[in-house]
């Protein structure tokens, strides 16, 4: 599988139902659950004894970075959406949560289940966010509680990425741009 690397004695565990983009990097002490996806240019670097564990049907979107420090594991629940260019470092993310585009969650922080961490939000070290919270700002502050309608939308986000990953598994093919016969004509705007 492209983009997946052992590191010394650390060997990633990735189920066959997962999809890893060809230019993503999944390195070392990483455990990825069933139906997960890791998108383009994402990096998951498990380079110490603390595992990075990702629950079933979670998606790690383009450019996200996941890492753990010695003594500080990174644990992500199931049905989590990790937005583009998010940074997760040695934290815990509860089931059915969304980490927004460019958000940062630092060491020993705990995000509850059914949470939305807004775009570019900063969750500093040792912060606990209760279940069902909408959090925005830098540093992040809980601004309100989410409803069942929000919980369903979070689940739909995770479901969408499972289906999208299945499509990419089947349809994504490298294209030789030197072969003019296969290159398509750019559309005119």
């Amino acid at each position: 599988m492209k983009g997946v690397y052992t590191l010394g004695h650390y060997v990633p565990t990735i189920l066959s139902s997962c999809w890893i983009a060809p230019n993503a990097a999944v390195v070392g002490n990483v455990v990825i659950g069933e139906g997960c996806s890791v998108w383009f240019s994402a990096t998951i670097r498990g380079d110490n004894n603390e595992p990075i564990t990702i629950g079933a049907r979670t998606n790690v979107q383009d450019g996200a970075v996941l890492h753990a420090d010695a003594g500080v594991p990174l644990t992500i629940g199931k049905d989590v959406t990790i937005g583009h260019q998010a940074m997760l470092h040695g934290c815990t993310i509860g089931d059915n949560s969304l980490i927004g585009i460019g958000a940062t969650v630092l060491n020993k922080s705990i995000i509850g289940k059914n949470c939305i961490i807004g775009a570019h939000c900063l969750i500093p070290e040792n912060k606990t966010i209760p279940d069902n919270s909408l959090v925005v700002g830098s540093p992040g502050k809980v601004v309100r509680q989410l409803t069942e309608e929000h919980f369903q939308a979070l689940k739909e986000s995770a479901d969408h990425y499972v289906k999208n990953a299945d499509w990419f598994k089947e349809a994504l093919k490298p294209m030789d741009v030197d072969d003019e016969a296969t290159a398509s004509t750019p559309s005119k705007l």
Side-chain angles (χ1 to χ4, degrees), residues 16 27 34 61 66 84 92 95 147 160-161 172 176 188:
S16 62
V27 179
E34 63 94 8
Q61 295 179 9
L66 284 60
H84 307 286
T92 299
D95 294 345
T147 65
H160 164 75
Y161 270 90
L172 184 68
D176 183 356
K188 295 182 182 181

Side-chain angles (χ1 to χ4, degrees), residues 133-137 141-145:
S133 296
L134 172 62
V135 181
V136 296
K141 291 183 177 29
V142 176
V143 294
R144 69 182 168 101
Q145 292 296 292

Side-chain angles (χ1 to χ4, degrees), residues 22-46:
N23 71 338
V26 177
V27 179
N29 195 2
V30 178
V31 178
I32 300 180
E34 63 94 8
C36 290
S37 57
V38 180
W39 293 84
F40 300 95
S41 299
T43 300
I44 305 173
R45 182 165 52 96

Side-chain angles (χ1 to χ4, degrees), residues 8-143:
H9 65 280
Y10 298 121
V11 178
T13 301
I14 302 169
L15 299 179
S16 62
S17 61
C18 297
W19 180 73
I20 311 296
N23 71 338
V26 177
V27 179
N29 195 2
V30 178
V31 178
I32 300 180
E34 63 94 8
C36 290
S37 57
V38 180
W39 293 84
F40 300 95
S41 299
T43 300
I44 305 173
R45 182 165 52 96
D47 58 358
N48 59 61
N49 284 332
E50 299 305 332
I52 297 173
T53 305
I54 300 173
R57 296 174 308 283
T58 287
N59 61 89
V60 180
Q61 295 179 9
D62 312 67
V65 176
L66 284 60
H67 189 241
D69 282 337
V72 189
L74 172 56
T75 304
I76 300 166
K78 63 183 180 187
D79 297 309
V80 173
T81 295
I82 300 168
H84 307 286
Q85 296 185 328
M87 172 83 61
L88 302 182
H89 205 280
C91 57
T92 299
I93 309 296
D95 294 345
N96 203 46
S97 289
L98 181 145
I99 308 301
I101 293 170
T104 301
V105 184
L106 295 177
N107 283 354
K108 299 181 182 176
S109 288
I110 300 170
I111 307 299
K113 66 180 181 178
N114 301 315
C115 288
I116 297 175
I117 306 301
H120 299 286
C121 186
L122 170 64
I123 305 298
E125 290 189 358
N126 300 304
K127 181 85 172 173
T128 298
I129 303 298
D131 292 351
N132 313 322
S133 296
L134 172 62
V135 181
V136 296
S138 182
K141 291 183 177 29
V142 176
V143 294

